[in-house]
């Protein structure tokens, strides 16, 4: 049973900021209306007790690193419920053809009330269409007047991408309607499961201990930390967790359409990509060194390498890519580039080989390196070191003159 007072949890191994110190992702921070999200270089976001449970960070995170903690089976909690739990709850409680969703500030009757429409995600909305003939009406007030408008703004992106997925699945756009609704002067608060005094105190202690451990012994594995199970060792970035958000999306798309190919003929494939974008391919320049940083830091395992004594290859799986840009930002020779598309069918693509090059030992240091040119006998590191030595020698000779 979950006893935390904060309704969301962070999986650091899925966070691009944790995996790559060069990541500039701030999507969770930008949508939080309560300033409950704290970001620090090289670490996953921290969620404070100021969290109001709007759920916008869950929707905004492209990697699924922030998820609701889950509702108890015996007591459905709309704030803690996961996307899957919400879909199951709505299927059981509102089996009719028309389903009305609203935020807590709407003055109208609805089948389901969310704290904020920013909590809605593409997988959750698409799952509602697994019932044949389903029509979804979203009652939306004027978010510009709402103190949570930062969270509500995230809904526009979700609507745009959901419509693209509906088109991909052959579902008429008319079956998703956005209906203007009047706004309550004093919003109704969605019910939340009661939190005991013990749970509140334990949660505060956990957060305080985590902050202390990170400041005293940053990066120390939990098992070795004298302060208990806090923090995550930087060495754990080689590990990966499955992205629950993407898994739910792909599962739902398969159930809706059963398709594994490209988009329907009437899909405007030349349309502009959404804000986050879908990635059709990763292009690799000949400058690739085969250092394996892109594979090691990719939060979702979208890039995979394969190598022998004489050959190095990189593979890319579009269905796993969330366009977080970690691979691009961490590539030392700047050899990677993401090719984005407005066609969501890119997510259904199979694994593809994106790079292949010869691999052999460096004549100077003996370390294996990758190069497209058969004439290259020295690795990039040795070449760089030699270049620095030559530069120093030239400066010394110039000074002697």
């Amino acid at each position: 049973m979950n006893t935390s007072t904060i309704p969301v949890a962070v999986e650091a191994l899925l966070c691009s900021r944790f995996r790559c110190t060069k990541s500039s992702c701030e999507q969770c921070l930008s949508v939080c209306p309560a300033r409950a999200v704290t970001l620090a270089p090289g670490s996953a976001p921290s969620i404070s007790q100021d969290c109001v449970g709007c759920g916008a960070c869950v929707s905004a995170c492209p990697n699924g690193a922030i998820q609701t903690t889950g509702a108890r089976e015996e007591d459905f909690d709309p704030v803690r419920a996961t996307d899957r739990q919400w879909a199951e709850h709505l299927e059981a409680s509102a089996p009719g053809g028309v389903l009305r969703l609203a935020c807590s500030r709407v003055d109208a009757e609805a089948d389901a009330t969310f704290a904020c429409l920013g909590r809605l995600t593409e997988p959750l909305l698409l799952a509602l269409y697994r019932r044949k003939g389903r029509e979804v009406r979203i009652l939306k007030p004027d978010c510009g007047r709402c103190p949570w408008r930062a969270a509500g703004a995230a809904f526009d992106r979700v609507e745009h991408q959901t419509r693209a997925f509906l088109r991909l699945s052959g579902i008429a756009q008319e079956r998703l309607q956005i209906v203007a609704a009047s706004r309550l002067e004093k919003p109704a608060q969605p019910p939340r499961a009661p939190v005991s005094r013990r749970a509140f105190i334990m949660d505060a202690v956990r957060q305080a201990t985590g902050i202390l451990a990170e400041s005293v012994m940053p990066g120390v594995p939990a098992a070795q930390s004298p302060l208990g199970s806090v923090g995550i060792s930087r060495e754990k970035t080689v590990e990966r967790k499955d992205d629950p958000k993407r898994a739910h999306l792909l599962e739902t798309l398969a159930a809706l359409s059963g398709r594994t190919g490209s988009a329907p003929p009437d899909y405007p494939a030349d349309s502009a990509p959404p804000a986050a974008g879908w990635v059709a391919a990763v292009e690799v320049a000949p400058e690739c060194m085969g250092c394996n940083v892109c594979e090691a830091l990719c939060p979702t395992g979208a890039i995979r390498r394969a190598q022998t004594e004489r050959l190095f290859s990189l593979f890319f799986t579009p269905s796993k890519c969330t366009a977080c840009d970690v691979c691009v930002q961490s590539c030392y020779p700047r050899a990677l580039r993401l090719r984005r598309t407005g066609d969501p069918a890119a997510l259904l693509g199979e694994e593809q080989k994106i790079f292949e090059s010869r691999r052999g030992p460096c004549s100077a240091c003996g370390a294996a390196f990758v190069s497209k040119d058969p004439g290259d006998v020295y690795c990039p590191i040795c070449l760089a070191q030699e270049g620095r030595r030559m530069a120093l020698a030239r400066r010394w000779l110039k000074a002697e003159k």
Side-chain angles (χ1 to χ4, degrees):
M1 182 181 68
N2 175 51
T3 59
S4 173
T5 60
I6 301 175
V8 295
V10 179
E11 175 50 71
L13 293 179
L14 283 170
C15 177
S16 59
R17 292 183 66 94
F18 175 78
R19 300 191 73 89
C20 177
T21 56
K22 295 183 179 180
S23 174
S24 58
C25 181
E26 295 184 348
Q27 296 198 44
C28 54
L29 177 67
S30 65
V31 300
C32 181
R35 298 183 180 180
V37 177
T38 302
L39 297 178
S43 63
S46 173
I47 314 296
S48 75
Q49 293 286 347
D50 294 328
C51 175
V52 293
C54 68
C57 57
V58 175
S59 176
C61 181
N63 295 345
I66 305 179
Q67 291 288 315
T68 48
T69 54
R72 297 174 296 184
E73 292 184 6
E74 65 276 12
D75 184 15
F76 182 79
D77 183 349
V79 176
R80 295 182 182 274
T82 64
D83 284 354
R84 292 179 184 273
Q85 288 177 327
W86 257 116
E88 293 172 0
H89 175 74
L90 290 172
E91 182 63 27
S93 61
V98 178
L99 190 60
R100 294 166 298 178
L101 311 180
C103 78
S104 58
R105 299 173 185 267
V106 164
D107 186 12
E109 185 178 350
D111 297 298
T113 299
F114 294 82
C116 176
L117 292 181
R119 165 64 181 88
L120 295 173
T121 64
E122 298 90 338
L124 172 54
L125 287 176
L126 289 172
L128 303 179
Y129 290 93
R130 297 183 73 161
R131 172 175 285 274
K132 189 174 182 180
R134 171 80 78 188
E135 179 181 312
V136 177
R137 295 177 185 172
I138 298 178
L139 311 181
K140 186 175 183 293
D142 179 8
C143 295
R145 299 172 52 202
C146 179
W148 290 4
R149 54 185 171 274
F155 172 71
D156 295 334
R157 173 190 55 81
V158 172
E159 180 197 353
H160 176 79
Q161 297 197 168
T162 300
R163 289 191 182 280
F165 289 127
L166 290 177
R167 188 180 295 112
L168 177 66
S169 304
I171 298 175
Q173 296 290 298
E174 294 75 18
R175 289 171 60 185
L176 174 59
Q177 298 181 19
I178 310 300
V179 181
S182 57
R183 182 175 176 273
L184 287 171
E185 291 302 322
K186 185 176 181 180
Q189 295 298 323
R192 297 185 62 171
V195 179
S196 67
R197 180 182 178 187
R198 174 184 173 84
F200 180 84
I201 295 175
M202 290 300 295
D203 192 66
V205 169
R206 268 194 301 271
Q207 290 201 54
T209 305
I211 294 172
L212 177 61
E214 282 298 315
S215 61
V216 175
M217 303 181 68
V220 175
Q224 302 175 14
S225 173
L227 297 175
S229 57
V230 294
I232 297 180
S233 170
R234 178 61 53 184
E235 296 176 358
K236 285 181 69 65
T237 56
V238 296
E239 299 181 16
R240 286 194 181 85
K241 296 286 186 179
D242 292 334
D243 177 355
K245 187 175 178 181
R246 180 55 61 88
H248 190 198
L249 174 63
L250 294 175
E251 175 189 311
T252 305
L253 285 174
L256 289 177
S257 59
R259 297 178 61 257
T260 56
S262 58
D266 62 343
Y267 184 82
D270 58 345
S271 61
W278 297 292
V279 177
V282 175
E283 299 173 353
V284 186
E287 289 76 16
C288 175
M289 300 166 52
C291 63
N292 193 37
V293 169
C294 56
E295 180 198 40
L297 296 186
C298 177
T300 58
I303 295 180
R304 178 180 68 87
R305 70 165 172 170
Q307 63 185 38
T308 63
E309 289 185 1
R310 298 186 177 182
L311 195 65
F312 175 86
S313 302
L314 281 178
F315 296 84
F316 170 67
T317 306
S319 62
K320 294 182 178 181
C321 181
T322 60
C324 68
D325 275 347
V326 163
C327 57
V328 175
Q329 294 166 347
S330 62
C331 181
Y332 174 74
R334 298 289 186 265
L336 295 182
R337 186 172 75 89
L338 302 185
R339 180 159 60 83
R340 300 172 188 263
T341 176
D343 186 352
L347 292 181
L348 305 179
E350 300 291 335
E351 183 182 64
Q352 53 193 255
K353 183 184 291 185
I354 56 176
F355 183 76
E356 187 172 84
S357 182
R358 60 176 287 274
R359 183 174 184 266
C362 173
S363 298
C365 67
F369 75 102
V370 170
S371 175
K372 284 282 190 181
D373 187 353
D376 289 342
V377 294
Y378 300 108
C379 71
I381 295 177
C382 288
L383 289 174
Q385 291 175 343
E386 179 64 19
R388 285 193 291 270
R389 284 194 292 266
M390 292 298 293
L392 288 172
R394 284 193 294 269
R395 289 174 60 186
W396 181 80
L397 290 173
K398 186 177 180 179
E400 286 294 310
K401 293 179 180 179

